[in-house]
Amino acid sequence: MNFPFYIARRYLKSVSKNNAINIINRIASVGIITGSAALFIVLSVFSGLVDFSLSFSNTLDPDIKTEAISGKSFFISPKQQAELQRVNGVCAFSKVIEERVLFVFDQKSEFTYIKGVDSLFNNVSTVQKSVVDGGWLEPESNEAVIGYGIYEKLSVGVGEMTRPLEIYAPKPGKGIIENPEEAFRKTAVVPVGVYMISEELDSKYVFTDFSVASELLGYQPNQVSAIELKLCDGANEAAVIASVQKIFGNKLLIRNRAQLNDSLYKMLRTENLAIYLIFTLVIILILFAFSGAIIMMVLDKKANLKTLYNLGAEVRDLRKIFLLQGTLLCVIGGTIGISIGSAVVLLQQHYKWVMITETLAYPVVFSITNILIVLGTIVSLGFLASLIASGRVSKKLLEQ
């Protein structure tokens, strides 16, 4: 067995005759365990909050969305649709039309997006599960599903056939408008459902049938604003995007879910990094005490070190003893702390002890990535602290 490692293990289990040193060692050990447990719990909580925040946008956003690089629309041929169906990893796709238009109801108006969807849209999106009043669209109908925000702003009645929701879209063209009525295309739809996701998203879209939006905007057959794709489980996203680009000749902008919400993802990543750095700073402060404990151990074992030195042990080997002792202590303490943190996280997931509301538990996510981050942080910082403290072992100290 490696000589420094053997001695380090013995020192790790030994108890000093000096009770003060034992107390300092216990405090340092408890600090490492507490710090690693706290860091793991905080990262797990934030991971839960991230998933919870993204769940709202994920309801509306597809796995992959294709849009025109220039302009608001593009054409998809029957051949391209057939090729999309054969792409490995694509479970379903839907043609949609999106445009910002004016909605009017009972002399109240609101600008927002109309989203015309085809009969395959429910295979791509789960927004229909967010309908809290009424139902979803019937194919080839003049029906609409509105967000709760639009429902409140316009005071729209759901299912009222005699009071439809009017939609106005400007006609393309140039020149002076002589008759305002000729400047807009107009249609009317009957709201049959209200969806509720979040305060921001509840005012984003009014869903209609694809044909309604196409006729309102004057689109030609096979003209769309976007194609939304749902990936199969385990699909290679990069390979799917490359295949779709090949089908359309690299003429479309293709974005995944993260790219569709780039600013949101950046904000969440920045917040996650800030929280990690704050708690890492706390762990660094704890390891100052840990470093002091190792120095106290060096002084306590000075007589033993002199004996080993006189027997032929080199100074670097004696330093390695305390370097390994400190690193082992961090590994053991970090493992215990992560185990405690994991138990807290798993119990919260199962028993929902901490609640945000009466029906919503505080979200937490148990992640192997978080375990590796915490263990890596504790061990690397502990190794550095041990390296600094073990430097106290010197030839001068041993010859005193």
Side-chain angles (χ1 to χ4, degrees), residues 1-2 58 96 102 136-137 148-149 151 153 175 190 283 316 347 367 377 379:
M1 181 181 290
N2 183 277
N58 291 348
V96 301
L102 177 65
W136 189 250
L137 308 169
Y148 188 76
Y151 171 79
K153 291 174 183 176
V190 178
I283 291 174
R316 68 169 181 270
L347 287 171
S367 170
T377 301
V379 173

Side-chain angles (χ1 to χ4, degrees), residues 16 58 62 69 122 133 148 205-206 209 279 347 372 377 399:
S16 174
N58 291 348
I69 294 177
N122 287 346
D133 187 12
Y148 188 76
Y205 288 123
V206 171
D209 187 74
F279 272 82
L347 287 171
L372 296 177
T377 301
E399 290 178 347

Side-chain angles (χ1 to χ4, degrees), residues 104-105 108 133 146 150-160 163-165 189-192 194:
V104 178
F105 182 82
K108 297 179 182 179
D133 187 12
I146 62 177
I150 300 296
Y151 171 79
E152 281 195 321
K153 291 174 183 176
L154 301 183
S155 302
V156 180
V158 177
E160 293 187 24
R163 301 175 66 200
L165 176 63
V189 292
V190 178
V192 295
V194 178

